Structures are given as C-alpha cells and as structure tokens.
Amino acid sequence: MSQWPLWAVLASGEPTWLENRVYDALCLEKGEQDEEGPPFEMSLGSGRYHALVGTNPIDVGAEIQIAKELSLECDEPVYSIERANDPWTVMSWRKGSPDVLEEDPESLAKSLGCPLPGSEAPSDSPARKPLLAVALVEGVRAQEATQVLEEDDGEPLTPGRYRLEDTPRGLLIASGTGDIGYADITVSERIPHATVYAVIASPDLDEFIVTVRRGGEGVEEFAQPPDEFPRLPVVGDIKGETTPERILAALGIPAEWFRNE
C-alpha cells in the first residue's frame, strides 16, 4: 500500500476489535482482499486512537461508512478524513452524526497520537493531484434523489452537502468538497431502474475512472490509464466515446467541475 492514504478513519479502541468492526462495516469477510491487497491498513497509534487508512481511489467514501458505524459503538469521537479531493474533508462523528471540522488532517492525527502514514514525507515530494467525483443518474430527478438521500441519512441534508442539478441527460450529483461519498450508490440501490455513471478524475483528467452502476452494483468500468487489476468488466468506451473530454461531454458533465472552479 502506498504511504499516501487517500482516506483515513481515526478511532479509539482495541486494534483487533477496530479491524473486525471495519470489515463488518464494509460487509467483507475478515482478511478479504482483491489483487491490489486489503481494502485498508491499520496504523497503530501511541495512545487510545489508531488510524485505518486506504489508498485506492475507488474506495474513497468508505471512510464515511466506517466512521458512522464505529461512532455508534465508540464512546469517544470518531474522525473521518478524505484527502483525495480538494479541499480535504475532515469530519467528527458521534453516535452516527457527523460534523465538518475546519482542521488540518495531519495535525488532528498527530494530536490523537496516530500520525498518518506519509505525514513526514519530504517537502519537495511531488504533490498528489486531487481527485473529484461527479455522477450522472439517468432517469432520476433531483427531488426524488433528495428524498432518497434524506431517508438514508435519517434527517434533512446539510445545506451544501450535495450539488444536485437536473439536466436533459439526467441528474448530476456533485459536491462543493468534491466528495459525494456513497450518494451515487445509495441512489442506485434505492432506484434500481436508474443507470448511474460515477466519474472520478483529476483536474487535468489524466486520471479518469467511470464506474457504471445499476441496482447499486457496479456492472462495468472505464479507466484511463487502464487499471492493472480491474474489479469490474472493462469497457473501451462510455456512450461510444473513448477520451475523458468526450465522455464528459456525452454525460453532460462540465469538465470545469473537476477543477473545483
């Protein structure tokens, strides 16, 4: 696993218990992994808190589900950190409810005694390009998606959490933070007739992944550059287009959204 985690969860508890609960939260068997290795790694802290970290862009958003589930059983706050997008998102979780924090991820982790892997990387190391996420949901309107997402959260959506925009091609789901979490999966699960195109890309589109979902399940994937160990059947085009720019145009997603403009 790379030393630069794209996401992390900071939680207090006995490491083995934490590890087991994370596998439960991800609906995986203990030790289950794909060709790229385990979905997360445990980074032991010096005190009560430990870090669970992951580096695969496909798994960005897992930190939300993990932190939410752990917070229901932990007496102390659980923190989720997402560093794939710009700006980074840090949230504090208590009993399943999140609060967005204006705090530096490394500073928070160090204050809890569990610095993130790669925190001590040399200052001249090349900066990782932020990855942003946008989804097109065909056959769904914003009002219907809002209702589904609010039912999943159990409360009204926090203002600004999602950007929902009806277009002639379908509903676009984005976020001011670049992190839509599991919104595309939730809508796909709850509205199984819809086809979802979830796009994760860097600002210059040199990293570009499209996952097609139906009924909550990924059915195929387009990636540029190609994934060495794809999890889904690989396709060479999306809607007949083979380049990131043309694919975004076919989906009706403005390329500017990935530059967080």
Side-chain angles (χ1 to χ4, degrees):
M1 179 174 284
S2 166
Q3 291 301 300
W4 178 262
L6 294 179
W7 60 265
V9 173
L10 314 178
S12 62
E14 195 275 324
T16 300
W17 178 82
L18 286 173
E19 185 178 33
N20 289 337
R21 294 301 296 119
V22 172
Y23 273 105
D24 290 343
L26 297 176
C27 299
L28 298 174
E29 295 294 329
K30 179 68 179 293
E32 185 176 344
Q33 63 183 52
D34 57 23
E35 294 90 340
E36 296 182 359
F40 67 91
E41 282 189 0
M42 173 80 70
S43 180
L44 298 179
S46 58
R48 299 187 306 277
Y49 275 82
H50 306 287
L52 304 118
V53 302
T55 64
N56 194 324
I58 295 295
D59 294 328
V60 171
E63 76 283 351
I64 294 176
Q65 181 66 24
I66 294 170
K68 181 178 181 179
E69 294 297 325
L70 288 179
S71 73
L72 295 173
E73 301 183 54
C74 292
D75 293 329
E76 297 182 88
V78 176
Y79 301 92
S80 64
I81 295 172
E82 187 268 287
R83 302 199 300 180
N85 303 300
D86 186 17
W88 295 343
T89 303
V90 180
M91 290 192 286
S92 170
W93 295 77
R94 290 179 181 271
K95 303 306 177 186
S97 297
D99 285 313
V100 177
L101 303 180
E102 297 295 331
E103 193 160 353
D104 176 72
E106 275 88 0
S107 297
L108 172 64
K110 288 179 181 178
S111 72
L112 297 173
C114 52
L116 300 176
S119 295
E120 305 302 325
S123 59
D124 59 352
S125 296
R128 189 181 183 100
K129 298 173 182 177
L131 298 174
L132 303 182
V134 180
L136 168 70
V137 186
E138 294 180 331
V140 174
R141 307 296 288 177
Q143 183 176 1
E144 186 178 8
T146 298
Q147 182 178 356
V148 165
L149 293 171
E150 289 182 338
E151 289 175 353
D152 184 67
D153 273 3
E155 58 185 32
L157 295 179
T158 304
R161 180 173 179 183
Y162 299 116
R163 176 179 182 177
L164 304 177
E165 184 172 313
D166 289 320
T167 76
R169 294 178 177 84
L171 171 66
L172 297 183
I173 303 177
S175 171
T177 67
D179 177 20
I180 62 174
Y182 286 110
D184 57 318
I185 299 176
T186 298
V187 172
S188 179
E189 288 176 339
R190 298 286 299 279
I191 311 176
H193 69 267
T195 297
V196 178
Y197 297 86
V199 182
I200 297 176
S202 59
D204 55 10
L205 305 183
D206 62 346
E207 292 184 66
F208 189 84
I209 301 168
V210 183
T211 301
V212 183
R213 292 193 176 94
R214 297 187 184 93
E217 299 292 332
V219 295
E220 58 189 27
E221 178 181 287
F222 173 96
Q224 199 174 88
D227 191 342
E228 185 177 359
F229 300 107
R231 301 184 180 194
L232 299 171
V234 175
V235 294
D237 69 90
I238 296 292
K239 292 187 175 294
E241 303 295 346
T242 60
T243 66
E245 293 81 0
R246 295 294 302 168
I247 289 173
L248 290 179
L251 297 177
I253 299 176
E256 292 77 15
W257 286 16
F258 292 94
R259 303 187 185 107
N260 207 23
E261 296 178 352

